[in-house]
Amino acid sequence: MAGGSFGPTGVAKERAEQYQGKVTSYVIIACLVAAIGGSIFGYDIGVSGGVTSMDEFLEEFFHTVYEKKKHAHESNYCKYDNQGLAAFTSSLYLAGLVSTLVASPVTRNYGRRASIVCGGISFLIGSALNAGAVNLAMLLAGRIMLGVGIGFGNQAVPLYLSEVAPTHLRGGLNMMFQLATTIGIFTANMVNYGTQQLKPWGWRLSLGLAAFPALLMTLGGYFLPETPNSLVERGLTERGRRVLVKLRGTETVNAELQDMVDASELANSIKHPFRNILQKRHRPQLVMAICMPMFQILTGINSILFYAPVLFQTMGFGGNASLYSSALTGAVLVLSTFISIGLVDRLGRRALLITGGIQMIICQVIVAVILGVKFGDNQELSKGYSVIVVVFICLFVIAFGWSWGPLGWTIPSEIFPLETRSAGQSITVAVNLLFTFIIAQAFLGLLCAFKFGIFLFFAGWVTVMTIFVYFLLPETKGVPIEEMTLLWSKHWFWKKVLPATNLEDESKNESNNSV
């Protein structure tokens, strides 16, 4: 572990200044191919809301919702409230939660590529089942297989990106995953906008097209190079060196390789990483692995993206207009992720999270006020107020897209030492999917109960997470991945939490480095 805190194994000193290399085409291609896994995750988020607002889909699988939707006397906020419909959306995330725990030992023992391929195959099966579904059971089985794909893909891809990327650009390249996710969401919204005209089978095309990125992910995972960190961890040091030379474009990789070797010695001595990660010396990383993905979901973004067409129909937009509006939010999310990629390794993680949080709070409060004053049961928003709502929802999405969207994945994937990295990423994905499941299952009910207050509910959580970042998250910009734990012993709060032996060894390391 970085910091040399546990005896002779682990990274004993900082070597970041000795790292050499440049951004090679090899790195860019590897990151682009690996990030395709994010596009499937995003496509599913985007496609779910659009399909569940299509009358043909509702009539075939959720007839009760279809009938309720046609009754104008129903409350605007409650007409889509149905646990079966919510289960269609959220079953995928529960399956992903379970499968990501299975993915952890696969990723650690057989490499990042193995999990990427497993995820791609599961996505292919799931998309085929959904496209050909003839009953609810088959539909849910397809969703569960998609969930297995998400569990494996989301576990392996962020790790792959963090380990392949050079230190000084790790944030931007890691965000390829989030960029692919946002492109997947936008693509799904555009597909839904087109397939709603293809009655009565348009929804099948929407669900089935997930097979295309799944095929790319499967083939890409097969042809990608394994990460040097994973190869070294599995005893293939010379092969890891060859890959690292290709990735960095230089033969001078001894310092970075030595950090990997030191980290792998400790990693291989840890037989039970999930048990190890609960120890006090890993407490800061564990807290981040739980809180970052939890807060990412509690921004309320998934609720907007899952149910954007439903949400806009609820606010009085017509069927076509609602899908158009949700396609707009998808496009905005893609563009804002480019902002984050350009700024994250210049301004740092903390600045983006804090400014993004403040903007999200303002937007959610304004939307809540407009809906509270101008929108009630059996009412529709005027055209002017509808435009204002969409504008502020887009501003909310922009803020999410440059802050919690990408960084909710980037930070947990870069802070763990090698011996607990796979387990830590599994916890991150599991927490993300658990809260995604909870919010997806509860959102329509919350919308019915809270009405416009749903936006204030999420604004409250964004306030909490912004304060959390300000006080408890150290800046990780420019810190080598195998030396990341040096950061915690210097932080005003976490150095009080870490065992005293960590701090004593860290003090010795700093003294040795200064000699």
Side-chain angles (χ1 to χ4, degrees):
M1 179 174 177
S5 306
F6 316 115
T9 54
V11 177
K13 61 180 180 179
E14 296 183 70
R15 300 186 180 92
E17 293 181 359
Q18 302 173 41
Y19 282 25
Q20 293 189 29
K22 57 187 178 182
V23 180
T24 61
S25 58
Y26 201 62
V27 167
I28 299 296
I29 292 170
C31 288
L32 286 173
V33 174
I36 290 172
S39 69
I40 311 178
F41 184 41
Y43 186 86
D44 186 79
I45 291 174
V47 84
S48 299
V51 165
T52 52
S53 70
M54 294 182 186
D55 288 345
E56 295 76 24
F57 176 80
L58 292 175
E59 188 174 14
E60 183 156 351
F61 294 105
F62 303 98
H63 194 72
T64 302
V65 179
Y66 175 70
E67 291 296 327
K68 187 188 291 188
K69 180 182 174 183
K70 294 192 299 184
H71 294 155
H73 67 274
E74 291 284 350
S75 167
N76 275 322
Y77 290 102
C78 301
K79 58 187 175 185
Y80 288 96
D81 185 17
N82 179 275
Q83 287 303 301
L85 183 60
F88 164 75
T89 298
S90 58
S91 58
L92 177 149
Y93 304 99
L94 192 60
L97 190 161
V98 175
S99 65
T100 193
L101 301 177
V102 177
S104 176
V106 174
T107 303
R108 187 183 190 203
N109 296 326
Y110 299 100
R112 285 48 166 157
R113 290 172 59 220
S115 284
I116 291 173
V117 171
C118 287
I121 293 172
S122 299
F123 275 121
L124 280 170
I125 296 171
S127 58
L129 286 172
N130 274 347
V134 294
N135 54 46
L136 185 58
M138 190 172 174
L139 192 70
L140 292 178
R143 295 288 289 179
I144 289 170
M145 287 305 299
L146 289 175
V148 172
I150 283 178
F152 275 86
N154 287 18
Q155 206 275 343
V157 171
L159 284 188
Y160 187 94
L161 295 171
S162 283
E163 291 180 344
V164 165
T167 297
H168 65 290
L169 290 176
R170 187 180 60 243
L173 290 177
N174 188 284
M175 285 181 181
M176 291 293 184
F177 178 78
Q178 176 66 13
L179 177 62
T181 300
T182 61
I183 291 173
I185 291 168
F186 175 68
T187 302
N189 285 329
M190 297 309 295
V191 166
N192 285 335
Y193 187 65
T195 58
Q196 66 171 333
Q197 311 296 336
L198 304 175
K199 300 179 180 180
W201 51 270
W203 63 269
R204 292 187 185 276
L205 183 59
S206 288
L207 295 175
L209 283 176
F212 178 68
L215 181 62
L216 293 179
M217 177 179 173
T218 306
L219 295 175
Y222 182 78
F223 289 108
L224 281 174
E226 185 56 86
T227 72
N229 309 66
S230 177
L231 290 169
V232 171
E233 183 181 18
R234 290 181 284 142
L236 304 171
T237 304
E238 188 52 39
R239 188 175 159 195
R241 179 187 177 84
R242 290 197 299 270
V243 173
L244 189 59
V245 167
K246 285 186 178 181
L247 290 171
R248 300 295 177 254
T250 176
E251 293 286 338
T252 312
V253 295
N254 289 341
E256 188 170 0
L257 184 67
Q258 189 58 49
D259 271 353
M260 294 178 191
V261 171
D262 290 351
S264 71
E265 291 176 1
L266 180 57
N268 290 325
S269 71
I270 303 298
K271 302 304 180 186
H272 304 287
F274 279 103
R275 189 184 305 167
N276 184 264
I277 208 172
L278 297 176
Q279 296 177 3
K280 194 172 184 179
R281 61 178 180 250
H282 296 302
R283 193 61 45 80
Q285 296 99 318
L286 181 61
V287 169
M288 294 301 160
I290 293 171
C291 290
M292 293 300 290
M294 176 185 74
F295 286 149
Q296 184 192 56
I297 302 306
L298 288 174
T299 58
I301 187 67
N302 278 12
S303 301
I304 290 174
L305 297 178
F306 282 151
Y307 298 109
V310 172
L311 199 62
F312 286 124
Q313 280 193 4
T314 293
M315 291 186 294
F317 290 75
N320 289 353
S322 70
L323 283 171
Y324 183 79
S325 299
S326 57
L328 175 63
T329 59
V332 165
L333 189 56
V334 172
L335 295 175
S336 62
T337 305
F338 279 109
I339 296 174
S340 190
I341 289 173
L343 296 179
V344 65
D345 289 310
R346 297 180 184 179
L347 301 182
R349 283 65 160 155
R350 282 170 49 86
L352 295 183
L353 288 170
I354 291 169
T355 55
I358 293 170
Q359 183 169 322
M360 284 191 286
I361 294 167
I362 294 170
C363 292
Q364 286 175 317
V365 170
I366 290 173
V367 170
V369 170
I370 291 174
L371 295 182
V373 173
K374 297 294 182 179
F375 184 62
D377 290 350
N378 300 316
Q379 286 182 296
E380 289 190 1
L381 283 176
S382 67
K383 184 177 180 180
Y385 281 111
S386 296
V387 170
I388 293 173
V389 167
V390 171
V391 166
F392 277 99
I393 285 180
C394 285
L395 289 173
F396 167 84
V397 171
I398 288 173
F400 177 85
W402 82 51
S403 60
W404 282 93
L407 292 172
W409 291 108
T410 296
I411 290 172
S413 73
E414 68 183 4
I415 61 174
F416 279 94
L418 188 59
E419 73 267 19
T420 56
R421 191 170 298 152
S422 181
Q425 185 65 15
S426 281
I427 291 172
T428 298
V429 176
V431 172
N432 181 284
L433 295 175
L434 173 63
F435 278 88
T436 302
F437 170 79
I438 291 171
I439 295 298
Q441 193 69 25
F443 177 72
L444 292 176
L446 288 173
L447 181 63
C448 183
F450 287 178
K451 299 180 171 55
F452 64 88
I454 190 73
F455 290 95
L456 297 177
F457 171 78
F458 288 123
W461 279 110
V462 178
T463 303
V464 170
M465 64 188 74
T466 303
I467 294 171
F468 173 88
V469 168
Y470 184 81
F471 287 106
L472 297 180
L473 179 67
E475 182 55 66
T476 60
K477 179 186 72 171
V479 181
I481 192 168
E482 299 302 353
E483 298 180 5
M484 191 64 70
T485 47
L486 296 168
L487 211 57
W488 307 104
S489 58
K490 300 173 183 176
H491 187 267
W492 73 272
F493 176 78
W494 294 116
K495 67 182 180 182
K496 301 174 185 177
V497 174
L498 290 170
T501 53
N502 285 40
L503 304 181
E504 291 170 6
D505 288 348
E506 178 59 33
S507 177
K508 292 176 184 177
N509 291 336
E510 290 182 353
S511 297
N512 291 336
N513 290 338
S514 64
V515 173

